[in-house]
Amino acid sequence: MPAMSFPLGRIQNKISFLQRHSSLLTIGVILGFVIRRSISNYHAYIAMGPGGLPYNIYGWLLSLCFKPFAREKLSTEQYDQDGNKETFLDHEEIKERRGDRPKMSWHIAPSRQLDRYAPLEMGQRLIALFDALAVANLDLVSVVPSRFERIHPALVINESLITPHAPAKKARREICHIHRHKDFSLHAMMSPQDCKTVIEKGWGERHPLSGSHVLPKEFMLLYAPRDDDELAMIARCMCAAIGYMANTHVVKQCDI
């Protein structure tokens, strides 16, 4: 049986080729990694459901552009430094929310929670509460498409009322809206001291752009309610948001 010759020359040629084109190979590996990560990130954006940005690749690209401007969401020092000490929640009665905070989206627009969703039945009750508060407080609020989410209805300050403060102006007079397509979290404008309580007791956090030139620091995300007690707490927060934005402590509450 003839001896097999070892193709040393061919191996040396391949090694020489790799050495000459190492930079191209490195670029190829990096490009492949970036493409895979980009595809995964795009699917994560789409999985959150429609929001304020276009629900397509163009909206995803815009969301990526916003990411460098994201801020931390859980500190409360800025509320301690705020001269407005008015509250619309009874802070002594606010209990800590049970369990850990939900995991939040990597993208900052839309801003959504990714787990610990509200059950569908609880989400429908939350929407019914939103509608009932709108009807009960017709002198304070109106319902229009959200100025931020566009696809969701929002409570806004009634057109008969003046804009009470600079945060309301920056928020375009929008009080709150519910993310109705999936998680049933909310965005709401709350007084500085109520923001502090909501964060410290675990009921919500700031939007990643809150406190920037885009959104006021009072623009909060409230976690989706999972049971009757949590729905009752969110109802109190919604009434507090109406009071803060309409500049009144007389807000009609509704049975839930």
Side-chain angles (χ1 to χ4, degrees):
M1 186 174 182
M4 296 182 62
S5 61
F6 192 72
L8 182 59
R10 293 174 60 186
I11 293 175
Q12 289 176 333
N13 289 338
K14 290 181 179 181
I15 293 175
S16 178
F17 175 85
L18 292 175
Q19 290 174 338
R20 291 196 306 271
H21 300 281
S22 60
S23 59
L24 291 177
L25 291 173
T26 301
I27 291 173
V29 171
I30 294 174
L31 186 60
F33 174 79
V34 170
I35 290 174
R36 288 195 299 271
R37 289 294 299 269
S38 296
I39 291 173
S40 175
N41 191 275
Y42 172 73
H43 286 313
Y45 172 82
I46 293 298
M48 290 187 292
L53 297 178
Y55 191 52
N56 52 37
I57 192 170
Y58 301 109
W60 171 67
L61 291 172
L62 284 171
S63 181
L64 295 183
C65 292
F66 283 128
K67 182 63 177 178
F69 301 100
R71 302 184 171 203
E72 65 81 28
K73 302 173 290 185
L74 298 176
S75 65
T76 60
E77 291 84 359
Q78 55 194 296
Y79 304 120
D80 292 330
Q81 298 167 5
D82 196 297
N84 181 2
K85 302 302 180 182
E86 189 174 15
T87 63
F88 296 84
L89 288 172
D90 187 341
H91 294 196
E92 297 299 325
E93 295 183 2
I94 305 301
K95 298 179 180 179
E96 289 192 8
R97 181 179 179 274
R98 61 180 173 80
D100 296 331
R101 296 178 187 270
K103 179 181 178 182
M104 299 304 297
S105 58
W106 179 89
H107 303 86
I108 64 175
S111 174
R112 298 288 189 272
Q113 65 183 74
L114 300 181
D115 59 10
R116 294 176 172 80
Y117 297 141
L120 181 59
E121 181 267 341
M122 193 61 59
Q124 296 303 318
R125 289 176 62 190
L126 177 63
I127 292 174
L129 171 64
F130 176 98
D131 294 339
L133 286 173
V135 172
N137 295 280
L138 286 174
D139 56 329
L140 303 178
V141 304
S142 301
V143 179
V144 302
S146 170
R147 281 82 188 257
F148 300 104
E149 292 283 337
R150 298 187 301 166
I151 58 174
H152 299 304
L155 295 182
V156 300
I157 301 171
N158 189 283
E159 61 182 8
S160 66
L161 302 178
I162 63 171
T163 304
H165 39 63
K169 181 179 180 180
K170 194 171 186 178
R172 305 183 220 174
R173 295 170 58 94
E174 183 165 327
I175 300 170
C176 68
H177 60 257
I178 301 169
H179 305 134
R180 302 178 179 220
H181 284 130
K182 193 168 185 178
D183 63 333
F184 293 103
S185 61
L186 305 85
H187 281 129
M189 283 288 295
M190 306 189 74
S191 75
Q193 303 315 309
D194 289 346
C195 290
K196 175 181 169 70
T197 297
V198 164
I199 292 174
E200 291 181 342
K201 297 295 186 179
W203 291 99
E205 59 189 57
R206 279 187 303 280
H207 187 283
L209 292 177
S210 294
S212 69
H213 69 284
V214 178
L215 293 171
K217 69 181 186 301
E218 294 82 3
F219 194 85
M220 297 289 294
L221 182 135
L222 302 176
Y223 304 136
R226 298 165 293 181
D227 54 34
D228 288 345
D229 290 340
E230 293 189 0
L231 182 61
M233 176 60 193
I234 295 302
R236 293 161 75 178
C237 289
M238 292 174 71
C239 289
I242 293 172
Y244 171 59
M245 292 291 278
N247 196 29
T248 179
H249 286 271
V250 183
V251 177
K252 297 183 180 66
Q253 302 186 22
C254 299
D255 294 332
I256 56 173

